[in-house]
Amino acid sequence: MATRTALRQWDDTAATQPDLMARVRERPRTRPRDRSDNPSRTHRLRSPLDEAPIGGVKMPQWQDEMTSGGRVWYCPDPDTQTVWVTRVSLDPPREAH
């Protein structure tokens, strides 16, 4: 997780929606930038949310819609093969956070 807040959000969501989070975990882990199976629900975010700072480095930020209101924001790092989760929410989206 990129932050303690993201970890808490992930854990809280996993506690209430374990089956959903098990499915959600696979996409960023195995194919973080692949949109082929669901292009309308997985995408790179637009400015100003298109990047997030991870360890002092700005990385491209993506979003996966896990439900009609739920989202996972993450930054795939191709150099280290790490996916940094930056935010998890089941609330209806408000793009400014």
Side-chain angles (χ1 to χ4, degrees), residues 37-68:
D37 64 337
N38 205 350
S40 65
R41 294 188 81 139
T42 301
H43 55 276
R44 170 110 187 250
L45 292 172
R46 294 185 196 144
S47 183
L49 302 174
D50 61 330
E51 294 181 325
I54 306 294
V57 176
K58 286 192 174 187
M59 296 192 159
Q61 186 163 229
W62 286 67
Q63 182 182 81
D64 186 48
E65 285 184 50
M66 52 187 168
T67 66
S68 60

Side-chain angles (χ1 to χ4, degrees), residues 17-36:
Q17 302 286 327
D19 293 338
L20 172 66
M21 293 308 286
R23 287 193 318 269
V24 167
R25 183 174 181 259
E26 283 306 302
R27 171 179 288 287
R29 193 173 134 245
T30 60
R31 51 192 202 286
R33 294 177 300 270
D34 180 6
R35 299 181 62 225
S36 62

